[in-house]
Amino acid sequence: MPVKIADGLPAQSILENEHIFIMTEHRALHQDIRPLKIGILNLMPTKVATETQILRSLSNTPLQIEVTLVQTSTYTSRNTSSEHLLNFYKTFDEIKNLNFDGFIITGAPVEHLDFEQVDYWDEMCEIMEWTKTHAHSTFHICWAAQAALYYHYGIPKYPLPEKLSGVFLHTLLTPKSRLFRGFDSEFWAPHSRHTEVRREDIEKVPQLKVMAVSDEAGVYAVCSEDSRQFFITGHSEYDADTLALEYKRDLDKGLDPKIPAHYFPDNDPTKPPVMRWRAHSTLIYTNWLNYFVYQTTPFDISEKI
């Protein structure tokens, strides 16, 4: 929660420079409170697991959040019951006239396809365009980050020689960004993907800023110049066993996958994996909600974004 201070207190400028969430008495007296409206377009096949992971990440804040789960109408998941989708999800057609304080678009297991070959690509493009006017800030994860960088800025993706799977060490390039408030200079984050975007392509676009990178996993975090769009190429929301379950799934399919890097103790898949990214996951979602949604979104959400 914000720290309320007296108007004109000398500490105000110091705290603001440190990105400490403060609020003057004048602002507090005139503040109305309402739930933040957050939409989640869940493109993952394991929808229940993914929605649980993201909701857990969003819950580490005292802010009241109202979540709307969204699915595409041009493609229906075969791995989630129709009853679950009917009871808890809305299609884009059902929400496209609404405004959201924040919108999250998840990854999807379609990296082997060119973007235009994805069954729901036209609808995905419509949604990404819609977020520019109906979502105050949009948070893209993994494939969605690559898709959005391609759609909005023409950044291509490239196939990797083998699947990138594991938990990798990252370095902050913009340590003073509010997105990284509370972060150490280095942090761990999971990745699970077959393609990449390249730093040199992103740095050619003046409206984009590369925020964090990994020597092994490449670009991790990118933001737009106006901080309305964030692109995260990893899966900070993953549970401790998610990569292990993916590894077993690929083994069962006969794909001969590599053991996820920096994940199992002694690189031994029979041992329980080490969870080393939970604190970072909590912070990145909390900071996004606080600094780039809550503090800047209009109170009247019906206002043009």
Side-chain angles (χ1 to χ4, degrees):
M1 294 292 284
V3 178
K4 188 176 78 170
I5 62 173
D7 295 312
L9 187 71
Q12 179 178 346
S13 61
I14 297 172
L15 294 174
E16 287 176 341
N17 286 334
E18 294 176 4
H19 305 324
I20 302 299
F21 188 9
I22 62 171
M23 184 178 293
T24 63
E25 288 181 345
H26 179 270
R27 181 180 173 191
L29 288 171
H30 293 83
Q31 185 188 43
D32 289 312
I33 302 296
R34 63 163 177 80
L36 292 177
K37 295 186 180 295
I38 305 295
I40 303 173
L41 176 63
N42 189 353
L43 302 174
M44 292 290 278
T46 53
K47 293 201 184 309
V48 175
T50 300
E51 69 201 33
T52 303
Q53 291 167 358
I54 294 178
L55 290 174
R56 183 184 297 116
S57 298
L58 294 175
S59 70
N60 288 294
T61 168
L63 300 173
Q64 186 178 352
I65 299 167
E66 182 179 299
V67 171
T68 300
L69 297 172
V70 184
Q71 62 172 320
T72 56
S73 57
T74 47
Y75 179 81
T76 302
S77 174
R78 294 170 293 182
N79 298 283
T80 305
S81 72
S82 57
E83 181 180 8
H84 181 81
L85 295 174
L86 182 64
N87 288 338
F88 300 109
Y89 278 75
K90 296 184 180 298
T91 64
F92 175 60
D93 286 340
E94 293 177 292
I95 60 100
K96 65 183 181 181
N97 292 323
L98 303 177
N99 288 342
F100 290 85
D101 299 296
F103 203 79
I104 297 170
I105 307 179
T106 75
V110 291
E111 293 172 272
H112 60 289
L113 299 173
D114 291 339
F115 292 119
E116 291 82 2
Q117 293 178 316
V118 175
D119 289 340
Y120 48 84
W121 179 247
D122 288 345
E123 184 177 8
M124 182 73 175
C125 292
E126 184 182 1
I127 293 170
M128 290 187 291
E129 186 65 26
W130 168 89
T131 62
K132 291 160 60 175
T133 54
H134 289 76
H136 184 69
S137 183
T138 305
F139 195 91
H140 309 82
I141 301 171
C142 198
W143 177 82
Q146 297 182 356
L149 287 169
Y150 175 72
Y151 173 76
H152 292 298
Y153 302 100
I155 306 279
K157 66 173 182 175
Y158 301 90
L160 293 167
E162 57 188 5
K163 182 180 181 180
L164 181 74
S165 177
V167 185
F168 300 94
L169 190 64
H170 297 74
T171 302
L172 299 179
L173 300 182
T174 57
K176 293 185 178 180
S177 169
R178 288 173 169 84
L179 189 68
F180 300 132
R181 179 176 178 247
F183 272 55
D184 295 321
S185 298
E186 296 181 327
F187 64 95
W188 295 87
H191 288 260
S192 178
R193 50 187 167 83
H194 295 271
T195 55
E196 67 174 353
V197 289
R198 294 178 179 168
R199 182 174 175 178
E200 56 265 30
D201 291 335
I202 297 168
E203 290 179 337
K204 293 176 184 176
V205 180
Q207 300 96 325
L208 295 175
K209 180 185 295 184
V210 180
M211 306 177 75
V213 297
S214 165
D215 288 343
E216 292 183 87
V219 173
Y220 173 73
V222 180
C223 73
S224 62
E225 189 176 35
D226 59 4
S227 297
R228 292 276 305 279
Q229 296 174 324
F230 291 89
F231 313 89
I232 308 298
T233 66
H235 282 285
S236 57
E237 78 284 355
Y238 267 10
D239 291 327
D241 64 349
T242 305
L243 289 174
L245 293 172
E246 290 182 357
Y247 174 69
K248 183 179 184 304
R249 178 201 64 197
D250 291 347
L251 278 176
D252 292 342
K253 290 181 178 180
L255 298 178
D256 192 26
K258 286 185 66 175
I259 297 172
H262 316 298
Y263 181 58
F264 295 110
D266 304 318
N267 212 33
D268 182 352
T270 66
K271 296 181 179 179
V274 176
M275 175 60 134
R276 61 177 91 206
W277 63 92
R278 178 63 72 209
H280 138 259
S281 175
T282 298
L283 281 171
I284 200 167
Y285 279 94
T286 300
N287 288 343
W288 174 66
L289 282 172
N290 180 12
Y291 292 110
F292 301 100
V293 181
Y294 171 66
Q295 291 204 46
T296 57
T297 192
F299 177 77
D300 183 357
I301 201 170
S302 65
E303 293 179 11
K304 184 175 177 62
I305 292 177

